[in-house]
């Protein structure tokens, strides 16, 4: 094996220059030296150390002062790939062991805001509505550009095994280093100061502190900060050029052009060009195809087998784990698989959201049945990996339209009901979830629907407040429910005696549907038209498969022609197999008739 032939003390020049793409990421510095990609890892390490030891960031030391607190550090290696699977770069991040800093920090001193995924999708929807082009900037070594107060500075020892050419053993940090508990907050404050100093006309959202919206020279300008990524949306090229100059002169950043990759998502922005030469987006598609393929390879999914036609068997209810069925040897792979599927479901695969959250409750009590069911979901995701979350403005649709539903006593173990919800902004899906009603046990289906509607209104109201903070509107939110009794309960003045035992927090929905605080218009719809039904239970194949393309999936996910052709091919194969069986049966019947007739003639002759 190649790794066994490599000497850990070999010079990087002795290693091949071509990258081994199938090699796993090293976990330690020694593994990186043993890797056939040592030449590339060595360059990444030197680039990281050189960035840390810049004069305004840290002072290198050859020995630590007696009695000083020195924090250890380690390298985190990652071979980064593009969405098409090609090599992007070798990345080595030097992180300190912040957990070993015994200094006491209040929660307010360590908190750093991160935008919600819903805010990211809302940003893309606003780009389509207001004809803004999304651009992407990536700040290099972002935390190392945040100044540490003098009374909070610390020493860091270089990772074990690493020897600096000049004999440095560590550094005295002036700016934040990855891994320390205060680094995230310091960088967040630095980024906020940059926005307020350079762009005072932009306002920071009250509901998501990473979102900035305002106007620059009468032109709408939106900025979303996700740690070290800046997503800038604007229609005026002059405004973008000004931001480009400002961020490049303040930070060390990389400009990636129009947004095409973010958080392992592949983003396809389809545009049209105005007579003036400026472009604006008309449709945005998000996909997870490469991530799903990598997960199948990681968890050894046999993709050559016939894929399941739904994520989970209809009505599947796994038994409550017992000491005899719990298998601790699969706890780590089960957790890893569930967390990976949760990321897929939360970003742009709502069709598997309920199924993954149902299996998540088995992470602390792993069973073979749960692992098998999770692998089925991943296999289904692979067979539908060409699904994309498509966003296109529907001017005829209301500004916000919500759907809510519940499955009464859907959890067979606790008898708790399950709530489901999804929200559209001008026909574009931007938010969804599925969760158990843990705070109460509904006594009947109307009560379960009432609680689900209250929870859905709470989530929709957060998006409504974010929008009206910058774009004032009196338009009510349309919330669709398939229970007419709930529609009556939330609009009538008197509270039914059958609902007085429900927690007070759920009765806020009545104030939101009537009176001076009204924000919602409840609308009854048939169950077959309720698109949140998929977030409450495992639907049968007839609902989750082909028919759902027209009723549900067509609005949530854009099905490409390849998937439609695959479904038609499966249908044709099933019909052909059935026809062949019928022909074989008819032929057997004819042969039996011939044999019977021959026997009858022989008896007559005899």
């Amino acid at each position: 094996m190649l790794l066994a032939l490599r000497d850990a003390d070999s010079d990087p020049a002795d290693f091949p220059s071509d990258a081994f793409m199938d090699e796993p990421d090293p976990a330690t510095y020694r593994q990186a030296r043993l890797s056939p990609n040592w030449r590339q890892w060595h360059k990444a390490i030197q680039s990281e150390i050189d960035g840390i030891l810049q004069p305004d960031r840290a002072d290198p030391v050859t020995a630590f002062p007696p009695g000083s607190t020195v924090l250890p550090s380690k390298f985190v290696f990652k071979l980064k790939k593009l969405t098409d699977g090609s090599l992007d770069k070798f990345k080595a991040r030097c992180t300190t062991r912040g957990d070993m800093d015994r200094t006491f920090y209040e929660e307010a001193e360590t908190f750093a805001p991160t935008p919600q995924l819903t805010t990211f999708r809302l940003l893309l929807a606003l780009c389509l509505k207001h004809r803004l082009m999304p651009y992407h900037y990536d700040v290099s070594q972002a935390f190392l550009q945040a100044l540490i107060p003098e009374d909070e500075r610390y020493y860091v020892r270089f990772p074990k095994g690493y020897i600096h050419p000049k004999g440095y053993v560590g550094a005295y940090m002036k700016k934040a280093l990855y891994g320390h508990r205060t680094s995230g907050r310091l960088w967040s404050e630095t980024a906020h100061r940059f926005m307020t100093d350079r762009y005072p006309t932009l306002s920071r959202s009250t509901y998501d502190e990473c979102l900035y919206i305002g106007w620059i020279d009468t032109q709408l300008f939106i900025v979303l900060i996700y740690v070290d990524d800046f997503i800038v949306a604007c229609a005026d090229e002059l405004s973008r050029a000004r931001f480009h100059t400002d961020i490049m002169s303040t930070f060390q950043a990389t400009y990636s052009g129009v947004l095409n990759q973010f958080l392992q998502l592949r983003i396809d922005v389809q545009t049209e060009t105005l007579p003036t030469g400026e472009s604006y987006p008309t449709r945005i598609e998000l996909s997870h195809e490469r991530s799903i393929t990598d997960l199948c390879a990681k968890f050894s999914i046999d993709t050559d087998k016939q894929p399941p036609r739904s994520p989970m068997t209809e009505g599947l209810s796994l038994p409550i784990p017992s000491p005899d069925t719990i298998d601790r040897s699969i706890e780590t792979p089960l957790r890893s698989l569930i967390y990976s599927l949760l990321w897929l479901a939360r970003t742009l695969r709502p069709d598997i959201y309920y199924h993954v959250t149902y299996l998540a409750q088995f992470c602390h009590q792993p069973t073979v049945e749960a692992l098998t069911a999770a692998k089925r979901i991943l296999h289904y995701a692979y067979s539908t990996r060409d699904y994309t979350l498509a966003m296109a403005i529907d001017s005829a649709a209301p500004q916000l339209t919500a759907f809510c539903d519940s499955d009464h006593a859907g959890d067979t173990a606790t008898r708790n009901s399950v709530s489901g919800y999804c929200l559209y902004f001008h026909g574009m899906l931007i938010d969804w979830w599925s969760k158990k009603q843990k705070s109460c046990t509904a006594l009947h289906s109307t009560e379960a629907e009432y609680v689900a509607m209250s929870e859905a209104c709470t989530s929709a109201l957060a998006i409504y407040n974010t929008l009206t903070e910058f774009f004032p509107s009196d338009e009510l939110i349309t919330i669709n429910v398939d229970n007419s009794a709930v529609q009556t309960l939330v609009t009538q003045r008197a509270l039914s005696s059958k609902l007085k035992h429900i927690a007070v927090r759920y009765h806020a929905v009545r104030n939101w549907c009537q009176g001076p605080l009204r924000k919602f218009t409840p609308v009854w719809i048939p169950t077959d038209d309720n698109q949140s039904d998929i977030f409450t239970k495992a639907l049968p194949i007839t609902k989750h498969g082909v028919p759902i393309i027209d009723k549900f999936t067509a609005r949530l996910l854009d099905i490409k022609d390849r998937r439609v052709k695959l479904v038609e091919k499966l249908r044709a194969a099933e019909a052909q197999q059935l026809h062949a069986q019928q022909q074989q049966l008819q032929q057997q019947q004819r042969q039996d008739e011939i044999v019977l007739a021959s026997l009858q003639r022989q008896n007559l002759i005899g």
Side-chain angles (χ1 to χ4, degrees):
M1 186 177 178
L2 182 61
L3 289 180
L5 300 177
R6 296 296 181 188
D7 183 4
D9 295 327
S10 299
D11 187 87
D14 297 334
F15 287 75
S17 58
D18 296 333
F20 288 71
M21 295 286 290
D22 56 347
E23 282 293 316
D25 296 332
T28 63
Y29 178 76
R30 177 172 176 79
Q31 289 185 12
R33 298 205 65 166
L34 291 172
S35 170
N37 293 324
W38 168 235
R39 178 195 293 265
Q40 289 83 1
W41 291 127
H42 181 265
K43 293 180 180 179
I45 290 171
Q46 287 301 118
S47 176
E48 178 72 6
I49 296 298
D50 292 343
I52 293 175
L53 295 182
Q54 291 185 15
D56 62 329
R57 296 180 177 179
D59 293 331
V61 295
T62 56
F64 298 104
S68 60
T69 302
V70 182
L71 300 180
S73 63
K74 64 172 293 185
F75 286 117
V76 177
F77 299 97
K78 181 65 177 178
L79 194 155
K80 304 195 71 173
K81 301 179 183 179
L82 300 175
T83 53
D84 59 359
S86 60
L87 176 64
D88 181 13
K89 61 182 176 180
F90 285 78
K91 190 170 185 178
R93 177 73 70 200
C94 182
T95 64
T96 182
R97 290 287 304 275
D99 58 307
M100 301 187 67
D101 187 358
R102 303 306 179 187
T103 307
F104 176 77
Y105 295 100
E106 296 286 351
E107 182 179 357
E109 297 175 333
T110 59
F111 172 75
T114 303
Q116 301 179 12
L117 292 171
T118 302
T119 306
F120 168 67
R121 290 188 290 264
L122 178 62
L123 168 66
L124 298 181
L126 290 174
C127 288
L128 292 167
K129 180 181 179 181
H130 297 282
R131 294 188 171 185
L132 309 177
M133 283 296 293
Y135 302 96
H136 183 209
Y137 289 86
D138 182 11
V139 179
S140 303
Q141 296 182 322
F143 285 10
L144 283 167
Q145 305 190 47
L147 187 65
I148 305 175
E150 292 187 4
D151 58 340
E152 297 182 11
R153 296 179 180 178
Y154 45 85
Y155 287 93
V156 171
R157 186 188 304 276
F158 287 149
K160 182 180 179 181
Y162 173 76
I163 301 176
H164 194 274
K166 294 184 179 181
Y168 300 140
V169 296
Y172 179 67
M173 300 306 302
K174 299 177 183 178
K175 293 191 175 181
L177 188 63
Y178 286 86
H180 197 271
R181 286 180 287 177
T182 62
S183 297
R185 174 185 60 85
L186 293 173
W187 163 245
S188 176
E189 294 174 351
T190 302
H192 178 62
R193 283 195 301 271
F194 165 77
M195 294 300 302
T196 54
D197 294 343
R198 298 297 183 97
Y199 300 95
T201 58
L202 300 186
S203 301
R204 191 181 197 179
S205 174
T206 307
Y207 301 93
D208 196 322
E209 296 182 352
C210 299
L211 180 65
Y212 297 82
I213 300 180
W215 281 260
I216 298 178
D217 298 332
T218 70
Q219 296 291 333
L220 181 61
F221 199 86
I222 305 177
V223 178
L224 181 68
I225 304 176
Y226 196 102
V227 191
D228 57 354
D229 291 300
F230 284 70
I231 300 179
V232 181
C234 60
D236 186 11
E237 178 62 23
L238 294 178
S239 300
R240 189 205 64 80
R242 174 188 168 185
F243 183 87
H244 181 91
T245 303
D246 291 341
I247 194 172
M248 290 297 185
S249 60
T250 306
F251 306 119
Q252 295 180 4
T254 303
Y255 174 57
S256 304
V258 177
L259 183 66
N260 59 13
Q261 179 175 338
F262 182 67
L263 299 178
Q264 299 180 355
L265 301 176
R266 180 177 180 178
I267 303 173
D268 181 19
V269 180
Q270 302 177 15
T271 62
E272 289 188 4
T273 305
L274 296 172
T276 58
E278 295 184 350
S279 301
Y280 66 92
T282 58
R283 181 184 178 89
I284 299 177
E285 295 183 359
L286 299 90
S287 63
H288 249 320
E289 188 169 351
R290 187 184 68 83
S291 299
I292 295 175
T293 304
D294 292 344
L295 287 176
C296 288
K298 177 180 178 181
F299 293 101
S300 304
I301 303 298
D302 188 359
T303 56
D304 294 332
K305 290 185 177 180
Q306 183 175 355
R309 298 179 61 184
S310 64
M312 185 178 290
T313 305
E314 178 189 3
L316 177 66
S317 178
L318 298 181
I320 299 176
S322 63
D324 296 334
T325 59
I326 294 177
D327 186 357
R328 293 297 175 186
S329 63
I330 63 173
E331 181 173 4
T332 299
L334 177 61
R335 284 181 180 271
S336 179
L337 178 55
I338 291 296
Y339 295 161
S340 300
L341 290 173
L342 277 174
W343 175 250
L344 297 178
R346 195 67 189 95
T347 48
L348 52 85
R349 289 302 301 262
D351 56 331
I352 64 173
Y353 195 95
Y354 164 78
H355 316 84
V356 179
T357 53
Y358 171 74
L359 294 179
Q361 61 186 333
F362 294 93
C363 285
H364 69 291
Q365 293 180 325
T367 62
V368 176
E369 293 83 358
L371 182 60
T372 303
K375 288 186 175 181
R376 174 192 169 116
I377 296 176
L378 181 55
H379 195 184
Y380 167 80
Y382 178 82
S383 66
T384 57
R385 63 190 182 281
D386 51 358
Y387 280 11
T388 64
L389 182 63
M391 307 180 73
I393 191 71
D394 183 1
S395 57
Q399 177 175 267
L400 290 175
T401 304
F403 293 82
C404 66
D405 195 16
S406 70
D407 182 24
H408 180 230
D411 192 324
T412 56
T414 62
R415 308 313 298 177
N416 285 349
S417 301
V418 180
S419 299
Y421 146 88
C422 59
L423 179 69
Y424 290 90
F425 175 75
H426 287 293
M428 297 174 285
L429 183 69
I430 60 174
D431 192 23
W432 61 85
W433 49 249
S434 171
K435 56 185 177 182
K436 286 197 294 186
Q437 300 176 3
K438 294 183 179 181
S439 59
C440 65
T441 302
L443 302 181
H444 46 80
S445 60
T446 299
E447 181 179 335
E449 296 277 2
Y450 185 81
V451 174
M453 186 174 183
S454 177
E455 295 175 338
C457 288
T458 302
S459 298
L461 197 59
I463 307 299
Y464 175 83
N465 291 335
T466 303
L467 286 170
T468 55
E469 184 179 9
F470 303 102
F471 310 100
S473 174
D474 296 331
E475 184 178 353
L476 299 178
I477 306 172
T478 302
I479 183 162
N480 300 278
V481 61
D482 57 7
N483 190 305
S484 58
V486 172
Q487 182 187 12
T488 304
L489 287 172
V490 298
T491 54
Q492 68 180 6
R493 291 188 177 182
L495 179 62
S496 173
S497 59
K498 296 182 179 180
L499 298 178
K500 289 184 178 180
H501 65 283
I502 299 179
V504 177
R505 64 188 299 266
Y506 295 116
H507 294 310
V509 65
R510 302 180 70 251
N511 296 329
W512 296 332
C513 294
Q514 57 179 305
L517 300 178
R518 185 182 181 189
K519 294 292 187 296
F520 295 88
T521 299
V523 177
W524 178 85
I525 58 173
T527 300
D528 290 341
D529 296 335
N530 194 343
Q531 299 175 27
S532 59
D533 189 30
I534 198 172
F535 300 108
T536 62
K537 62 181 76 70
L539 298 179
I541 295 178
T542 55
K543 285 190 175 182
H544 203 105
V546 179
I548 209 170
I549 293 178
D550 298 327
K551 295 183 179 180
F552 175 77
T553 314
R555 295 201 65 186
L556 287 185
L557 303 169
D558 182 45
I559 311 301
K560 294 185 178 179
D561 293 339
R562 185 173 61 177
R563 176 57 181 169
V564 176
K565 292 179 181 179
L566 177 61
V567 172
E568 294 176 352
K569 183 178 179 181
L570 291 174
R571 276 184 162 182
E574 292 177 356
Q576 185 177 3
Q577 184 179 4
L578 179 62
H579 181 66
Q581 292 176 352
Q582 291 176 350
Q583 285 186 337
Q584 185 178 3
L585 180 61
Q586 292 175 359
Q587 184 178 3
Q588 183 66 34
Q589 290 177 349
R590 288 196 296 268
Q591 291 179 355
D592 292 343
E593 292 175 356
I594 293 174
V595 172
L596 181 61
S598 176
L599 292 176
Q600 290 177 350
R601 287 196 300 270
Q602 291 178 4
N603 291 335
L604 291 175
I605 293 174

